[in-house]
Amino acid sequence: MENNLFYKKSNVYETLGEDFTKEANVYGEGYKTFLDASKTERDCVRTSIELAKAHGYVEYDFGMEIKAGDKLYYNNRGRSLYLIKVGTENINNGMRIIASHIDTPRIDFKQMPIYEDGGFCFAKTRYYGGIRKYQWLALPLALHGTIIRKDGEVVNISIGDDESDPVFYITDLLPHIAQDYNSKPLGQAISAENLNVLLGSMPCADKDADNKIKTNVLTMLNEKYGIVEEDFLSADIFAVPAGRARDVGFDRSLISAYGHDDKVCAYPSLTALFESEASEKTIMVVLADKEEIGSEGNTGMKCEVFTDLMGAVTDALGGSIYAVKAHSKCLSADVTACFDPNYGEAFDRRNATYINCGVAMSKYTGHGGKSSTNDAPAEYIGWIRKLFAENGVIWQAGDMGRNDLGGGGTVAKFIAQHNIETVDLGVPVISMHAPYEVISKVDILCAHKAFAAFCK
Ligand code: MN
Ligand code: MN
C-alpha cells in the first residue's frame, strides 16, 4: 500500500545501474575541464563559444538572416551568451528555453585599488554577490580580468591557476591574539574593508622613492602588461579561488570546485543542446551574467536582449512574438541548497533536496512569504513531471531551507514576467557560495538528462 501512496525520493545509485555511474564519471571529467576554463563569466563565455563552434554554431548579430535549421550564438559583450537552435516546427508553438547564469561570487578590485601599507602592497576590493567573508581569508587566489588601457588596447589577465604562477592572498589574524575578534558574531567579525588582496612585499631599487613596494608592483605590471595605475579605472579584475576542480571522497562520487553555482547547470544545458540535433523545436540556451547581484545591467537576465533575440527569430520565421512568448516553456536552471546534516536545523528535512537524489525542482525560491519569487503553477510542474516520467529522468522536489531563515533568488521571475512558463530546476549544492562548493556526479548527469528530455 505504502509503495503506491507515498512519495519517496529515489537515490540515483539505488535506482539506476552501474552503467549510469560509469556515465556520470565520464561526464564529470568533461565538466571539470569546462569548469577549470570558466572561472569568471568572461572565461565561461570564451569556453562555451569554443564548444558551440565545435558543434557547428556560428556567430549571430542583429540584422543577419535567420532560417530554420540554423545554429547560432549571440555573444553579448563577452559576458553573457545566447545559443539558439532554430527548429523546423511552427515557431508559434513557442521555444524551449534553458537559462542558467555563469557569474559566481568573488572579490572584485575597486577602481583605485593599489596601495602600500606595513611593508606590503595590497589591492582594495568590493565583494561581488553573497559571501560569508571569513571563508575568503588565508586562501590561494587567482586574478582574472580585463583591463582597457588608455590607448584602447585590451589586456586580459589570468594569473594564479597555472602551477608555475604565483597566487594572491587575503590575510587573517592568528588565533593567538584574536580574542576580541572571536567574541564577535560571525557576520561582523570580518570587515569587508579588510578583504584586501596581497600583491607583493619587495621594495623597488630606487632608495628615494616613496611607496617602494607599490612602485615595484606597478613596475612589474607595466613590464608584463604595459599598464599604469590609471588603467585600473577601466578594468574588471576579479580575485577567485586558485586551483582546479577535484574529486571528493574515497569513492570519488563528488566534485569540489569554485563556481558550481551556476556552471553546474550551464554545462548540462550546453551538452543537452548539443545532443538535441534531431529535435524540431526551437531551443534557446541562455548563459546569463550578474545573477548574483540581481540580474542587473545589460548582460543580466533583466536585459531586453533576451526578448530581442526571441523577436528576431520569430520575425525571421514569420511568427508572432506574442504567440511565441505565450507558448514558450523555460527551465530556470539554477542550483539549490543540498541538505547538509551538519547544519540540519537550517533545513526543513521534509522539503529539502538530498545529495544523489537527482536534479532538483524548486516551485518557489525567494524569502519570507514567497516574496520575490516566481511561484511556478501546478499545471506547469505537472507537465514537467509527465515529461520526466516518460523519459526516465530522476528528479526531486525541494526548496532552499527552513522558513524565514533567509532565502535566495534566481533568474526565473525575470523570464516569467515575459509571459513565459518557468520553473527552477538545478543541481543541489553543498556549501553554496563558498570558495569551494561540492556537487554530486550523478546529480549533474541527471540535470543533463532532464535538460535533454526538455529539448526533445
Ligand atoms: Mn545561482
Ligand atoms: Mn548564487
Side-chain angles (χ1 to χ4, degrees):
M1 211 40 183
E2 263 194 28
N3 282 341
N4 289 329
L5 290 174
F6 284 24
Y7 169 58
K8 197 171 159 284
K9 294 196 178 193
S10 311
N11 183 290
V12 177
Y13 290 104
E14 289 164 9
T15 314
L16 300 174
E18 215 174 283
D19 286 352
F20 192 85
T21 312
K22 278 188 190 146
E23 194 184 341
N25 284 330
V26 174
Y27 191 84
E29 291 307 307
Y31 173 53
K32 286 188 284 182
T33 305
F34 175 83
L35 261 186
D36 289 339
S38 304
K39 288 216 166 166
T40 68
E41 62 273 9
R42 288 177 193 271
D43 300 331
C44 191
V45 164
R46 279 192 286 265
T47 313
S48 304
I49 287 175
E50 271 175 44
L51 282 178
K53 280 182 174 170
H55 287 86
Y57 283 72
V58 297
E59 183 158 23
Y60 170 78
D61 197 3
F62 289 103
M64 283 168 64
E65 228 175 83
I66 298 175
K67 58 182 188 315
D70 280 353
K71 296 196 285 186
L72 310 168
Y73 70 83
Y74 181 77
N75 175 356
N76 184 16
R77 302 169 166 91
R79 286 175 281 136
S80 67
L81 189 68
Y82 303 75
L83 299 101
I84 305 166
K85 197 173 88 64
V86 185
T88 51
E89 190 185 87
N90 183 351
I91 190 67
N92 284 343
N93 292 348
M95 297 184 182
R96 294 288 158 89
I97 301 157
I98 307 175
S100 63
H101 68 91
I102 54 173
D103 61 316
T104 298
R106 58 179 188 242
I107 311 288
D108 291 359
F109 277 26
K110 288 191 181 184
Q111 289 171 282
M112 294 164 280
I114 314 293
Y115 73 100
E116 178 176 329
D117 195 7
F120 299 101
C121 181
F122 290 103
K124 294 295 298 175
T125 65
R126 171 71 72 94
Y127 61 100
Y128 174 95
I131 62 166
R132 304 187 76 189
K133 298 182 189 82
Y134 73 89
Q135 294 177 337
W136 292 77
L137 310 178
L139 273 181
L141 299 170
L143 297 179
H144 288 235
T146 298
I147 300 169
I148 310 301
R149 281 195 330 219
K150 204 172 188 176
D151 60 6
E153 198 69 33
V154 179
V155 181
N156 286 313
I157 287 181
S158 172
I159 182 161
D161 279 314
D162 193 279
E163 284 297 315
S164 64
D165 284 346
V167 294
F168 304 89
Y169 190 87
I170 297 171
T171 61
D172 195 5
L173 189 61
L174 59 165
H176 313 68
I177 53 171
Q179 203 169 300
D180 286 358
Y181 294 85
N182 288 347
S183 59
K184 287 185 190 175
L186 191 58
Q188 292 165 23
I190 312 297
S191 157
E193 289 295 350
N194 284 357
L195 299 179
N196 303 311
V197 176
L198 180 51
L199 302 177
S201 69
M202 199 189 285
C204 64
D206 180 359
K207 287 200 170 57
D208 301 326
D210 302 328
N211 295 302
K212 292 186 183 64
I213 301 156
K214 174 174 170 175
T215 304
N216 196 46
V217 165
L218 285 175
T219 304
M220 297 181 96
L221 288 172
N222 186 264
E223 281 165 5
K224 190 163 165 119
Y225 301 111
I227 58 169
V228 295
E229 186 176 19
E230 198 182 338
D231 289 321
F232 282 99
L233 295 177
S234 48
D236 293 326
I237 311 281
F238 311 148
V240 296
R244 293 171 169 276
R246 304 282 296 269
D247 289 348
V248 175
F250 287 115
D251 55 16
R252 294 182 170 264
S253 59
L254 308 162
I255 298 172
S256 152
Y258 169 67
H260 284 315
D261 178 8
D262 185 28
K263 268 116 15 181
V264 74
C265 297
Y267 182 70
S269 72
L270 289 172
T271 57
L273 174 72
F274 300 149
E275 210 181 88
S276 71
E277 289 294 326
S279 176
E280 291 172 0
K281 298 199 155 49
T282 295
I283 302 162
M284 187 195 284
V285 163
V286 181
L287 307 182
D289 179 28
K290 299 276 190 281
E291 192 279 336
E292 296 295 358
I293 57 167
S295 297
E296 312 289 352
N298 59 11
T299 53
M301 199 67 232
K302 285 182 188 169
C303 176
E304 285 175 15
V305 69
F306 167 61
T307 41
D308 289 350
L309 284 164
M310 287 185 86
V313 173
T314 304
D315 289 350
L317 301 182
S320 148
I321 186 64
Y322 308 117
V324 171
K325 287 197 287 189
H327 302 141
S328 286
K329 291 184 166 65
C330 174
L331 295 177
S332 162
D334 206 346
V335 298
T336 190
C338 184
F339 177 76
D340 179 347
N342 292 315
Y343 299 93
E345 69 285 354
F347 297 83
D348 167 7
R349 287 169 185 258
R350 292 183 175 83
N351 281 280
T353 66
Y354 289 85
I355 200 81
N356 297 328
C357 290
V359 64
M361 189 191 296
S362 296
K363 186 179 191 303
Y364 46 84
T365 58
H367 56 270
K370 293 196 175 179
S371 197
S372 288
T373 181
N374 161 61
D375 187 9
E379 290 86 347
Y380 185 44
I381 295 180
W383 180 84
I384 291 176
R385 273 182 69 195
K386 189 159 173 286
L387 177 81
F388 288 173
E390 285 163 1
N391 287 277
V393 173
I394 297 204
W395 69 282
Q396 57 179 320
D399 67 14
M400 196 92 166
R402 194 154 59 75
N403 284 343
D404 287 341
L405 268 193
T410 66
V411 298
K413 63 175 181 171
F414 306 117
I415 293 169
Q417 73 184 17
H418 297 295
N419 192 28
I420 297 170
E421 289 292 5
T422 307
V423 70
D424 282 299
L425 189 81
V427 176
V429 173
I430 291 280
S431 308
M432 195 192 295
H433 286 201
Y436 295 95
E437 308 167 305
V438 170
I439 60 101
S440 141
K441 289 182 183 174
V442 293
D443 288 341
I444 184 179
L445 183 55
C446 288
H448 166 83
K449 302 281 183 194
F451 299 160
F454 183 75
C455 290
K456 256 195 198 168

